Amino acid sequence: MGSVEALRRILPDWPRLMTVDQASAYLSLGSTTLREHGPSPKRQGKRVLYDRRDLDRWADSLGDQPLTETEEVQESVEAERRFLEKRARRGSH
């Protein structure tokens, strides 16, 4: 049995904050795809966690689901923040 199937069986009620492996399984995506294209994770010390609400909002935006005006603004702000973060990392090398 694959790890995704195993996680789905033991986690019928997904936790609010998930590891990259849990979040990848939740979205049925690979962890690399999630890291590169998904919503930004939360950081708690050294832990990298994905909020289930952010995952749902991001997944809804993929399927051209209608977003509320507030969600559109949040998505825009988040996309800009990720862009500036990547740009700053490139400049620090």
Side-chain angles (χ1 to χ4, degrees), residues 1 4 8 10 16 20 26 29 37 42 46 48 52 55-56 64 68-70 72 75 83 85-86 88 92-93:
M1 176 187 304
V4 171
R8 284 189 178 144
I10 63 172
R16 170 76 187 274
V20 68
Y26 179 76
L29 293 174
H37 302 290
K42 311 290 185 204
K46 292 183 179 183
V48 176
R52 189 178 67 232
L55 296 171
D56 289 339
D64 294 327
T68 65
E69 187 174 328
T70 302
E72 286 179 7
E75 191 64 30
F83 170 78
E85 200 174 81
K86 285 181 184 178
S92 65
H93 288 99

Side-chain angles (χ1 to χ4, degrees), residues 49-60:
L49 301 167
Y50 288 87
D51 188 313
R52 189 178 67 232
R53 292 178 186 167
D54 293 340
L55 296 171
D56 289 339
R57 187 172 28 257
W58 179 78
D60 287 345

Side-chain angles (χ1 to χ4, degrees), residues 15-53:
R16 170 76 187 274
L17 296 174
M18 298 181 231
T19 64
V20 68
D21 290 335
Q22 291 170 326
S24 297
Y26 179 76
L27 293 172
S28 298
L29 293 174
S31 59
T32 301
T33 300
L34 176 61
R35 284 187 192 107
E36 290 178 2
H37 302 290
S40 295
K42 311 290 185 204
R43 301 203 184 275
Q44 179 63 41
K46 292 183 179 183
R47 295 191 69 194
V48 176
L49 301 167
Y50 288 87
D51 188 313
R52 189 178 67 232
R53 292 178 186 167

